[in-house]
Amino acid sequence: MAPAWIGFHRFLLRLSNHPRWGRRRPQAPLLWLLLLGWPAWVQLATFKVGVMGPWACDPIFAQALPEVAAQLAVGRLNRDPTVNQGYWFDYVLLNEECQTSQALVAWVNAERYASGFVGPLNPGACGAAGPLGRAWNKPVFSWACQNGDAEVERWGTFARPLPRASSVLYAVLKFFRWAHVAVVTSRQDLWVEVGQGLASSLREFGLPVGVVTTMEPGADGARNALRKTRTKGTALPWENGPPRRSMPHRWETFKAEGDTLAELEAAGSTGGLVVVMCMHSVLLGGEDQRLLLEKAEDLRMTDGTFVFIPYDALTYSLPYRRTPYPVLGNSTKLRLAYDAVLTVTVDAPERGFREAFQDAQQARELPAHLDPAQVHPLFGTIYNSIYYLAKAVERTRQAGRWVMGSSVAEHARDFQLDGFCQPLAADEDGDPLVSYIILDTDGKGNRLWPTYSVSMGPEGLRYVGHTIHWPHSASPSTDSSCWFDPTSVCSGGVDPSFILLLFILVSSLIVAGTVLAYYVRRRILHAQLMKGPNKIILTMDDLTFIHTQSSNKKMDDSRTSLAGRSVSDMRSFKSLAAAPDNTNVAVAEGGMLPACALIHVMVCLEKKVDRIE
């Protein structure tokens, strides 16, 4: 080691044009600073990525082989000339406990292990990871955090390698006009935090998420969770300011046992609900989801009234091309229940996850003994997130900035890269551009078929060739479009224009009923006066016929004093009289008419009289 150091020492002396002092101790302060700073410079040239997740406590997440994924990512990064010009990348696997409180402790102790972090996987730890990353000034890239953009911006060192799952889900719900959402979670802390975060995020979009429930173990736990979703519940209190839209209040009561769909409908449920399942997918070994779907089939909730969407598929690319799922083929009940499931997952347009895994095995980048069918697709998300972080680090170095958390997060934008099995990109605002696909079964087989592509840009959803197979050909009902219009206000899920139309209709019915009642009452009175004991019959002697044109003025002047005159005085009006054949206007006389007025009188005369005064 000594000769090498002496050679390096002489090289520095030659560059500085210093004379050779032999064995004398060099006196150049600059040389000593370089020599003392050399180990630190070597350390800074290595950027170590900490991959945080519940790898030790969750056996299904452990099937994602995070260490193998990280090793493959850093191996390719260090051979990639577009990102290896400034740093040598390395990784360290950091275990995140499944209990949220212990996961927070793991984050507090993680600073000294890595230069930047991929994770956390538990959304409950995001509230600590963001501020800690800001305090350490180290980048934190996570696909699991559902925090709003304003909060993320305050953190300053945070970036998303995937779009927010709630944003993707909202785009799907908006296209199909499904506003009412219920969330069912597994009992593990991680999934409870996922469900709570998803519900809060969807409420920020204005959707009435009224039920967030945790499924207890066993079939009874699945039944109770499904009964709660049938309520469509009342909305929970808003957490981020006043609500943009008023929420429906629809609690229903349910029978304790034997609830079928018909019984629940009779209890007052309105149907048309999306149930988001925050738990491991049954296609990848999730037992809770299997119990939930089979119990939904028993309760006949999979007849098209409800739509079930698995949350976890939003965070990875679920294989579907030429990929059978034996779990659907081995259980008729599960296959029928899964017909009511729409799976939204990251799309792999050119080659699927398993094909990309096999290609890496053939290139001897991955061990050959690994079975791609037994590897969780989250493997690809881990790989992509490490590459995403490395790309931001390199862009920061190219911009001449110090590589630290704030600058890396600032430069995580406006680039493209090849992910594990799909292209990835970030736009000028730092939003990740990733395409998604909606998968559905045909109700018979054990495969998934693409129906719609989902773009987070202005394109939205686009039909890709397969029609969604609704159970019994009955598509779910839709909600009012006002739930998805930021400028509109919804009241209980009903469009205000519909309320106005309903008000006009009710008012018209009231007016029509009043007119009809008045007409019927008039006819009844006519009949009573004609045939009843109070009928009035006038003869020619009781009427005085007058001219209308020549006597209107005189009649008007005299009418005001009719009430105070006697019968003999009223006979003086006969000076205005005319022959019955020349007029059809008559004045009734006699004490038999109260106040000299006749109302609702049937005149029994040989000549028709148009008006009686």
Side-chain angles (χ1 to χ4, degrees), residues 211-229:
V211 175
V212 182
T213 183
T214 299
M215 174 182 161
E216 297 300 327
D220 290 338
R223 176 190 293 273
N224 294 333
L226 290 171
R227 288 220 312 267
K228 292 178 182 178
T229 63

Side-chain angles (χ1 to χ4, degrees), residues 35-280:
L35 291 175
L36 292 175
W38 174 258
W41 179 76
V42 172
Q43 184 178 3
L44 288 177
T46 300
F47 191 94
K48 183 172 289 189
V49 180
V51 182
M52 179 76 75
W55 318 125
C57 63
D58 193 311
I60 294 183
F61 278 134
Q63 294 175 7
L65 305 180
E67 186 167 7
V68 178
Q71 186 176 6
L72 176 64
V74 299
R76 290 182 175 179
L77 283 170
N78 292 326
R79 297 192 304 268
D80 189 347
T82 64
V83 292
N84 67 354
Q85 299 300 310
Y87 288 91
W88 180 266
F89 290 95
D90 198 0
Y91 74 93
V92 58
L93 209 63
L94 302 175
N95 285 315
E96 176 184 275
E97 295 296 332
C98 289
Q99 294 183 355
T100 302
S101 58
Q102 297 181 7
L104 296 176
V105 174
W107 265 99
V108 172
N109 299 325
E111 177 188 9
R112 63 181 182 270
Y113 295 111
S115 309
F117 299 93
V118 169
L121 205 61
N122 187 339
C126 294
L132 286 175
R134 178 181 180 181
W136 303 334
N137 206 1
K138 293 184 177 183
V140 178
F141 282 44
S142 175
W143 63 86
C145 296
Q146 295 294 329
N147 304 74
D149 294 336
E151 186 174 7
V152 167
E153 188 175 354
R154 288 196 301 269
W155 292 343
T157 61
F158 184 90
R160 306 182 196 274
L162 286 177
R164 271 202 303 178
S166 59
S167 300
V168 181
L169 186 59
Y170 177 79
V172 175
L173 298 176
K174 181 178 180 180
F175 180 82
F176 292 104
R177 286 177 54 187
W178 298 329
H180 293 86
V181 179
V183 178
V184 180
T185 74
S186 292
R187 64 186 182 277
Q188 292 85 357
D189 278 8
L190 185 148
W191 291 116
V192 172
E193 296 290 346
V194 167
Q196 295 289 348
L198 177 65
S200 298
S201 184
L202 289 177
R203 291 190 191 112
E204 291 178 2
F205 285 108
L207 298 185
V209 183
V211 175
V212 182
T213 183
T214 299
M215 174 182 161
E216 297 300 327
D220 290 338
R223 176 190 293 273
N224 294 333
L226 290 171
R227 288 220 312 267
K228 292 178 182 178
T229 63
R230 286 297 308 183
T231 65
K232 282 181 123 174
T234 57
L236 298 179
W238 290 82
E239 301 176 1
N240 299 305
R244 189 179 71 197
R245 302 175 174 90
S246 60
M247 308 299 293
H249 297 271
R250 308 181 190 140
W251 288 103
E252 287 92 8
T253 58
F254 300 93
K255 299 169 67 176
E257 297 293 338
D259 293 328
T260 64
L261 181 59
E263 293 169 340
L264 293 171
E265 290 288 354
S269 180
T270 56
L273 185 69
V274 174
V275 179
V276 182
M277 302 176 291
C278 295
M279 55 191 69
H280 288 296

Side-chain angles (χ1 to χ4, degrees), residues 146-441:
Q146 295 294 329
N147 304 74
D149 294 336
E151 186 174 7
V152 167
E153 188 175 354
R154 288 196 301 269
W155 292 343
T157 61
F158 184 90
R160 306 182 196 274
L162 286 177
R164 271 202 303 178
S166 59
S167 300
V168 181
L169 186 59
Y170 177 79
V172 175
L173 298 176
K174 181 178 180 180
F175 180 82
F176 292 104
R177 286 177 54 187
W178 298 329
H180 293 86
V181 179
V183 178
V184 180
T185 74
S186 292
R187 64 186 182 277
Q188 292 85 357
D189 278 8
L190 185 148
W191 291 116
V192 172
E193 296 290 346
V194 167
Q196 295 289 348
L198 177 65
S200 298
S201 184
L202 289 177
R203 291 190 191 112
E204 291 178 2
F205 285 108
L207 298 185
V209 183
V211 175
V212 182
T213 183
T214 299
M215 174 182 161
E216 297 300 327
D220 290 338
R223 176 190 293 273
N224 294 333
L226 290 171
R227 288 220 312 267
K228 292 178 182 178
T229 63
R230 286 297 308 183
T231 65
K232 282 181 123 174
T234 57
L236 298 179
W238 290 82
E239 301 176 1
N240 299 305
R244 189 179 71 197
R245 302 175 174 90
S246 60
M247 308 299 293
H249 297 271
R250 308 181 190 140
W251 288 103
E252 287 92 8
T253 58
F254 300 93
K255 299 169 67 176
E257 297 293 338
D259 293 328
T260 64
L261 181 59
E263 293 169 340
L264 293 171
E265 290 288 354
S269 180
T270 56
L273 185 69
V274 174
V275 179
V276 182
M277 302 176 291
C278 295
M279 55 191 69
H280 288 296
S281 173
V282 64
L283 303 181
L284 303 175
E287 183 66 17
D288 287 343
Q289 191 173 111
R290 183 187 66 82
L291 290 174
L292 187 70
L293 291 175
E294 289 182 348
K295 186 54 64 176
E297 175 67 17
D298 292 337
L299 298 177
R300 288 184 285 173
M301 294 174 61
T302 59
D303 63 344
T305 305
F306 284 74
V307 180
F308 295 84
I309 298 179
Y311 171 88
D312 65 329
L314 291 163
T315 61
Y316 53 77
S317 179
L318 185 68
Y320 63 92
R321 290 188 179 89
R322 299 179 299 276
T323 304
Y325 287 95
V327 66
L328 296 179
N330 297 334
S331 173
T332 302
K333 180 185 292 187
L334 182 60
R335 183 173 67 251
L336 294 175
Y338 212 85
D339 197 20
V341 177
L342 288 183
T343 304
V344 186
T345 189
V346 179
D347 191 18
E350 297 180 359
R351 57 175 182 169
F353 167 76
R354 295 179 181 177
E355 289 82 358
F357 197 93
Q358 291 173 349
D359 292 344
Q361 287 179 316
Q362 294 176 0
R364 297 185 178 181
E365 295 177 306
L366 293 175
H369 69 275
L370 296 176
D371 184 4
Q374 301 300 321
V375 179
H376 197 289
L378 195 68
F379 179 100
T381 304
I382 299 170
Y383 173 97
N384 293 342
S385 299
I386 295 174
Y387 232 95
Y388 202 92
L389 173 59
K391 191 72 172 181
V393 169
E394 179 60 19
R395 287 185 60 83
T396 304
R397 187 197 66 82
Q398 292 176 354
R401 301 280 301 277
W402 287 100
V403 176
M404 58 184 65
S406 57
S407 57
V408 171
E410 180 181 350
H411 287 83
R413 63 188 65 209
D414 196 18
F415 61 76
Q416 297 179 351
L417 59 92
D418 292 329
F420 184 71
C421 57
Q422 67 276 113
L424 303 176
D427 62 14
E428 296 179 354
D429 297 326
D431 297 326
L433 300 178
V434 181
S435 61
Y436 287 77
I437 195 78
I438 300 178
L439 306 176
D440 187 32
T441 65

